[in-house]
Amino acid sequence: MRPRRVTVFGAGYVGLVAGACLSKSGHTVTVLDVDEKKLVSLRGGVTPFHEPGLDEIITGSIEAGRLIFEHPSNVTDFGEYVYVAVGTPSTSTGSSDLRFISAVVEQIVSTVPAGTIVIMKSTVPPGTGTALAKRLEAHGIGYVSNPEFLREGNAVKDWYETDRMVLGGNPETIDKVAELYEDILAPILRCDIPSAELIKYASNAFLAMKISFANEIANLCNTVDADVTTVMKGVGLDKRIGGSFLNAGIGYGGSCFPKDTRALDYLYSVNGHHSPLLKAVIDVNAFQRRVPVTAIRHRLGDLHGVRVAVLGLTFKPHTDDTREAPAGDIIRMLLVEGAIVPAYDPVGVMDFESDQYTQVGSVEEAVRDACAVIVATEWDEICDADWKTMTATMAEPKLVFDGRNCVDPAAVRAGGGEYVGVGRR
Ligand SMILES: NC(=O)c1ccc[n+]([C@@H]2O[C@H](COP(=O)([O-])OP(=O)(O)OC[C@H]3O[C@@H](n4cnc5c(N)ncnc54)[C@H](O)[C@@H]3O)[C@@H](O)[C@H]2O)c1
């Protein structure tokens, strides 16, 4: 593979993984970010977030002279390829806020020479890329939509072992982008720009739908005395369905599913359409976050002054990302109810302006003297803790609400506690 010179805008979960992995593949990469603190940390070889395997790649590439970190205003030579991997958060209407994209595109248009190719990794609503491509083409700059499907916590592996590479644009430009990925053995789907953009939203909406579906079935399991773990295992063994994303629990979170389902819903409505299915997916997920608080209130009554521990603050294990994590809403609800909330997470941090909330240093410390515990993230350290001993240290009624169905109910009961899962017997 011929090494290329590449620039990546954005040193976040996507941009940093892209930059690091491209440099590992032999390309010379400059990763740009406007966050000076991030740049200082990265130049010292310290990854500013938790992503297994990323530190080693960054350190190796810095030593090999193939990876540097810069502020965008200090760079004039962007190389042959420019990736855009800045954030596209939700606005209050649910639409995507494209401010960061616009700022980057303005800089690209005024700085990079004709012949450069811009590769869009950020998730942008269908239609965005067509307009950007037109604007860039007027300056002789190519454009390819290359949506990212990596999962935080598994990002490095997902980069190299992605199920598919989606490249949207004109065929010649796509060919040039495909040359960057010669060491990635994934099928390449070549298509037009809006289709590439919609593949990303449709994929996330479909996965979110699987989760919400499993949660609806879980809520029925409680009524008909079935066990959701067994039911969804039986459903997922059907190859037409597949077993992934069928775990019932307190719903999805993170920086992608909530924002991308909202953006897709907005896209429907702004175009005069309506997706009842998508609305239901979003609605079920919002309901699911309330299930633990409802269950605890039902069992304990008034929560004023009652100690309720929350275990797991990140939206899933193996990441420190707490964006839109169910734990955030759950803690906010508990605080509104007047509860005292000790919380624990192995790497994630959450702050609340309340002296009723404290983040403590271990699972055991959080659980001790709590009347109820909510397991919000399935970190191994939380699921595999000594629940028998820990439950014994709780205050009555020692209620353990397992929001991820990952704790052994027998261990909780052996410690004198009450176990409640999500649709789990
Ligand atoms: N996080 C994921 O798992 C994931 C997966 C697939 C796709 N995506 C999409 O990728 C995009 C990026 O997501 P993320 O999670 O990496 O975001 P992030 O918030 O972690 O990182 C974005 C980075 O861009 C930087 N930035 C903002 N303006 C800039 C500018 N003008 N120049 C240089 N840097 C700038 C920010 O300082 C920040 O460090 C989003 O559109 C997201 O939807 C994310």
Side-chain angles (χ1 to χ4, degrees):
M1 181 163 52
R2 185 162 76 79
R4 310 300 169 103
R5 286 185 311 120
V6 175
T7 296
V8 181
F9 276 88
Y13 290 87
V14 169
L16 193 54
V17 170
C21 292
L22 286 164
S23 68
K24 188 176 180 229
S25 297
H27 306 295
T28 303
V29 183
T30 304
V31 176
L32 308 178
D33 207 290
V34 288
D35 183 337
E36 290 285 1
K37 266 188 10 207
K38 255 188 193 175
L39 294 173
V40 170
S41 161
L42 284 164
R43 286 180 192 131
V46 179
T47 310
F49 50 83
H50 178 83
E51 186 57 53
L54 194 57
D55 271 336
E56 294 84 328
I57 298 180
I58 290 176
T59 315
S61 290
I62 292 175
E63 277 169 18
R66 286 198 305 272
L67 183 61
I68 58 167
F69 301 96
E70 266 302 347
H71 191 280
S73 57
N74 297 337
V75 178
T76 47
D77 182 359
F78 290 83
E80 304 147 83
Y81 298 89
V82 177
Y83 280 84
V84 180
V86 295
T88 49
S90 283
T91 68
S92 57
T93 62
S95 66
S96 300
D97 183 348
L98 299 178
R99 254 180 310 162
F100 303 116
I101 300 279
S102 300
V104 168
V105 170
E106 284 318 307
Q107 183 172 6
I108 290 172
V109 164
S110 61
T111 336
V112 312
T116 309
I117 296 174
V118 170
I119 303 170
M120 182 58 72
K121 273 276 167 210
S122 297
T123 304
V124 293
T128 310
T130 307
L132 292 178
K134 206 167 157 197
R135 177 147 159 64
L136 292 166
E137 265 159 27
H139 297 263
I141 302 165
Y143 180 91
V144 166
S145 167
N146 178 202
E148 183 52 60
F149 300 97
L150 61 77
R151 294 162 297 172
E152 287 178 23
N154 213 47
V156 172
K157 193 163 180 286
D158 284 351
W159 177 269
Y160 290 107
E161 295 173 25
T162 181
D163 291 339
R164 78 299 212 188
M165 179 75 69
V166 175
L167 297 175
N170 77 49
E172 304 83 65
T173 319
I174 287 178
D175 284 346
K176 288 186 187 149
V177 173
E179 287 170 15
L180 285 171
Y181 298 132
E182 277 171 8
D183 57 342
I184 296 178
L185 302 172
I188 296 183
L189 180 73
R190 293 156 195 264
C191 59
D192 58 87
I193 295 171
S195 299
E197 291 166 334
L198 191 51
I199 286 169
K200 174 65 189 171
Y201 282 98
S203 301
N204 276 358
F206 192 85
L207 293 172
M209 183 186 70
K210 286 185 88 176
I211 295 170
S212 283
F213 180 81
N215 285 333
E216 275 211 342
I217 294 290
N219 295 334
L220 185 63
C221 283
N222 291 333
T223 312
V224 300
D225 197 27
D227 183 88
V228 75
T229 319
T230 312
V231 172
M232 295 327 285
K233 188 175 174 193
V235 171
L237 281 170
D238 185 329
K239 290 196 184 69
R240 295 169 301 176
I241 298 171
S244 59
F245 288 79
L246 287 181
N247 294 331
I250 49 173
Y252 58 79
S255 67
C256 291
F257 285 7
K259 124 178 133 59
D260 293 348
T261 47
R262 280 195 298 267
L264 193 57
D265 178 48
Y266 177 84
L267 195 68
Y268 270 104
S269 50
V270 85
N271 284 295
H273 302 296
H274 179 60
S275 170
L277 180 58
L278 187 61
K279 283 197 187 298
V281 168
I282 296 168
D283 192 39
V284 169
N285 198 58
F287 174 84
Q288 213 60 20
R289 289 177 177 212
R290 299 188 192 138
V291 169
V293 181
T294 310
I296 288 171
R297 266 184 41 169
H298 183 71
R299 176 67 181 85
L300 276 78
D302 184 3
L303 295 184
H304 276 95
V306 174
R307 213 173 161 81
V308 181
V310 175
L311 303 181
L313 298 171
T314 54
F315 81 97
K316 65 174 181 177
H318 312 298
T319 178
D320 59 350
D321 197 343
T322 57
R323 288 179 285 185
E324 300 211 35
D329 277 348
I330 290 167
I331 292 169
R332 269 183 287 275
M333 284 184 261
L334 290 171
L335 293 174
V336 167
E337 296 287 331
I340 297 164
V341 187
Y344 171 75
D345 191 278
V347 298
V349 177
M350 259 189 201
D351 290 322
F352 294 88
E353 278 180 17
S354 167
D355 50 16
Q356 305 268 95
Y357 171 82
T358 39
Q359 193 169 336
V360 300
S362 71
V363 187
E364 291 77 11
E365 194 183 341
V367 170
R368 195 177 309 127
D369 298 327
C371 297
V373 169
I374 298 170
V375 175
T377 317
E378 66 277 35
W379 285 99
D380 288 347
E381 187 187 332
I382 293 170
C383 306
D384 302 339
D386 179 353
W387 278 96
K388 181 180 168 191
T389 309
M390 269 190 339
T391 310
T393 69
M394 290 174 67
E396 292 295 332
K398 304 185 183 202
L399 177 66
V400 175
F401 186 96
D402 182 2
R404 297 299 180 187
N405 289 347
C406 66
V407 170
D408 177 9
V412 172
R413 289 179 192 129
E418 296 174 17
Y419 175 91
V420 180
V422 181
R424 191 184 189 194
R425 228 190 255 128

